[in-house]
Amino acid sequence: MLSNTQSETNATDLAYHLHSQTNPQALTREGAYIVVKGDGTHVIDENGKRYIDAMAGLWCASLGFNNQRLGRTAATQYEELGYYHSFYGRTNPKAANLSKKLVELTGMAGGKTFFVTSGSEANETMVKLAWLYHASRGKPTKRKIIARDKAFHGSTIVAGSMCGLEMMHREFGLPLPGFIHTLCPNNYRVRLPGESETEFVSRLAGELERMILREGPDTIAAFIAEPVIAGGGIIPPPDDYFEAVQKVLAKYDILCLDDEVVCGFGRTGNWFGRETVGMTPDMMSLAKGITSSYFPLAAVVVSPKILEAVERYNESGTSFGHGFTNAAHPVGAAVAAETIAIYEELDIVPHVRRIGARLHQRLAEVTKDSPIVGNLRGVGLMYGMELVEDPSTGTPFAPARQIGARLAAIAYENGLVVRAMRDTVGFCPPLIIDDNDVEEIGAKLQKALRETEKAVQAKSI
């Protein structure tokens, strides 16, 4: 008979909980990691062990794991109005005010905010609005969506189709027809030997244009991109990449969709990733950092021309045929407004720039001369450390060895949470980290990396 809370929780979880992105056999064999408490940038498991979470959960807990102000804000709003919807012209004060704030903050002057409950829904909404936009202008054949290799845009059918990752397609027969992928702007893996960055950008833009011409410009609705690719390995684009890409898009009347689900709200060292990379989108999807993931709320901010298309399509008196039950949730809107207020009080952008530079310096110190680190890349407070068999040539490890996953497991044993994206190990800590947190991440990573190096050298992994 199970005799303690730990084993009872694990047994219940194994019996009844189907986990996201988890190997079922491994879960059955090893059990779940049970987190019971948050403490700033740390989480605590059921045995009382502390971990510094250098991934902010899933790229999202920007204000840490137990912000009391957000908790009080939610509690107060629950007492006033615990739920209402945004269908049939209904609204609530918190949603109305947040709508305005997001339009102002994103710089989408003259546009509006559409609320959803997840990043996947936000990205799917942008696709539907792109279809509507072209149809309203007499171009209903413009429906294909171009995404990029290595991109992650969500887990719904359309968002999953836009992902450039085989793991999001394999079990489900995706991508759907009409969702196509162009080259990933990865300086380390896609840029050719001897190719300058300027030549690389020119080649990427040229390949995009050739794809558009092959498919037919009158069939392409939109191009979607994260300013910095996150789940595909934390890949910042080369300088001038988006400028070159958007010239191609404008030439063929193709919308630019900005997936800010990870990059938004200070993560890249600007309020939004589009500022970091020089992107000028027609729509922006926002999630994760919008509430520090203290409530499942997300949004799409649309430019005036998208708004005009929605109004034109329904000028006969019909209703916009899209929406979600919990969109514009008053509690979520209240939490989002308070989250943004805290960012502003913390002056979060300068803080991220300073502490991000310190984190990058510490990661560089730890990885310098490592026999298994081929590339360290990133911006703001998102960095990727790519593990390779031979740093001098960039030769990757055989995928079956799962070196990245092994390092992540060793780090976890040492009280550090990181994420393995194949053999790229990701760091995306809460935005509130300080110098002590940076030192703790560096020290625990150093221990895990040295242990992994020894295991690789000994061929035990």
Side-chain angles (χ1 to χ4, degrees):
M1 178 181 245
L2 299 173
S3 59
N4 57 62
T5 302
Q6 174 186 352
S7 55
E8 287 177 358
T9 300
N10 232 320
T12 301
D13 190 83
L14 289 173
Y16 297 105
H17 184 187
L18 180 61
H19 285 248
S20 304
Q21 294 196 17
T22 300
N23 178 264
Q25 290 75 27
L27 184 65
T28 299
R29 184 173 60 249
E30 300 166 11
Y33 301 99
I34 301 171
V35 176
V36 298
K37 188 176 180 180
D39 181 18
T41 58
H42 293 71
V43 292
I44 301 167
D45 72 13
E46 61 183 350
N47 298 312
K49 183 175 178 179
R50 291 172 60 87
Y51 305 80
I52 186 162
D53 192 325
M55 280 304 299
L58 283 175
W59 324 81
C60 49
S62 302
L63 296 177
F65 297 94
N66 67 329
N67 187 285
Q68 299 302 301
R69 274 180 62 176
L70 297 185
R72 289 193 295 270
T73 295
T76 298
Q77 183 57 48
Y78 275 120
E79 291 176 358
E80 294 177 0
L81 179 66
Y83 166 74
Y84 216 66
H85 61 86
S86 60
F87 285 51
Y88 322 126
R90 271 62 167 182
T91 193
N92 62 81
K94 295 299 192 299
N97 291 332
L98 181 61
S99 299
K100 178 184 178 184
K101 182 67 173 180
L102 293 175
V103 170
E104 293 173 344
L105 202 59
T106 57
M108 300 287 264
K112 288 190 177 182
T113 301
F114 181 85
F115 289 110
V116 296
T117 61
S118 72
S120 296
E121 291 174 359
N123 287 333
E124 190 141 338
T125 293
M126 290 200 297
V127 170
K128 293 177 78 172
L129 286 170
W131 290 341
L132 184 157
Y133 169 76
H134 289 297
S136 76
R137 298 162 61 241
K139 298 183 177 182
T141 61
K142 290 179 75 69
R143 293 183 62 84
K144 293 178 184 175
I145 306 296
I146 300 176
R148 300 177 298 173
D149 295 337
K150 302 299 181 185
F152 180 86
H153 295 293
S155 296
T156 58
I157 294 173
V158 164
S161 293
M162 293 189 292
C163 293
L165 299 165
E166 189 272 343
M167 64 171 288
M168 301 302 297
H169 298 162
R170 176 179 50 85
E171 296 161 282
F172 312 110
L174 297 177
L176 295 173
F179 292 86
I180 53 182
H181 298 82
T182 191
L183 292 173
C184 170
N186 187 335
N187 262 312
Y188 186 60
R189 286 294 177 196
V190 181
R191 184 171 163 185
L192 300 175
E195 187 176 44
S196 71
E197 189 167 283
T198 299
E199 291 168 336
F200 181 38
V201 168
S202 179
R203 179 164 63 88
L204 292 169
E207 174 55 32
L208 174 63
E209 184 164 21
R210 285 188 290 274
M211 172 178 279
I212 291 168
L213 292 173
R214 283 195 306 270
E215 298 290 331
D218 289 340
T219 72
I220 311 293
F223 169 88
I224 187 170
E226 300 168 278
V228 176
I229 288 175
I234 307 184
I235 304 167
D239 291 342
D240 303 323
Y241 167 77
F242 277 103
E243 180 182 356
V245 163
Q246 292 206 245
K247 285 181 181 177
V248 175
L249 302 181
K251 183 177 179 180
Y252 297 105
D253 189 25
I254 296 170
L255 296 174
C256 182
L257 314 182
D258 176 12
D259 178 348
E260 294 272 0
V261 170
V262 171
C263 296
F265 299 97
R267 176 59 62 185
T268 68
N270 285 293
W271 267 103
F272 296 98
R274 76 183 189 102
E275 302 165 66
T276 303
V277 302
M279 189 180 188
T280 307
D282 298 296
M283 291 182 261
M284 298 171 65
S285 61
L286 313 174
K288 295 186 186 290
I290 194 172
T291 64
S292 190
S293 281
Y294 279 52
F295 195 93
L297 179 131
V300 175
V301 183
V302 303
S303 63
K305 69 180 185 182
I306 305 300
L307 176 61
E308 290 163 8
V310 174
E311 294 175 347
R312 183 167 57 246
Y313 210 93
N314 291 284
E315 60 189 0
S316 65
T318 55
S319 298
F320 177 46
H322 181 59
F324 298 93
T325 300
N326 290 301
H329 197 292
V331 179
V335 172
E338 191 72 3
T339 300
I340 294 169
I342 293 171
Y343 292 152
E344 291 176 330
E345 291 169 23
L346 293 175
D347 206 5
I348 202 68
V349 167
H351 170 74
V352 168
R353 291 177 182 175
R354 184 193 73 79
I355 203 69
R358 177 65 190 124
L359 178 61
H360 181 257
Q361 180 185 28
R362 190 69 181 94
L363 294 175
E365 291 169 357
V366 170
T367 58
K368 183 181 179 182
D369 300 324
S370 171
I372 64 169
V373 176
N375 187 236
L376 177 66
R377 55 182 178 258
V379 64
L381 275 175
M382 53 190 306
Y383 289 95
M385 178 182 75
E386 187 164 343
L387 307 177
V388 297
E389 189 159 21
D390 184 351
S392 67
T393 62
T395 303
F397 286 108
R401 295 180 70 180
Q402 297 187 325
I403 302 299
R406 296 297 294 273
L407 187 148
I410 294 168
Y412 196 83
E413 292 170 4
N414 285 283
L416 171 65
V417 179
V418 293
R419 177 172 175 173
M421 294 157 281
R422 293 189 180 272
D423 285 339
T424 295
V425 177
F427 303 84
C428 190
L431 302 187
I432 59 170
I433 64 167
D434 59 21
D435 291 297
N436 290 331
D437 292 322
V438 168
E439 184 52 39
E440 182 178 355
I441 291 169
K444 290 181 174 179
L445 172 65
Q446 185 167 7
K447 186 174 181 181
L449 183 59
R450 297 293 98 85
E451 188 174 337
T452 306
E453 291 167 354
K454 290 177 183 177
V456 168
Q457 187 176 25
K459 294 184 169 39
S460 61
I461 57 175

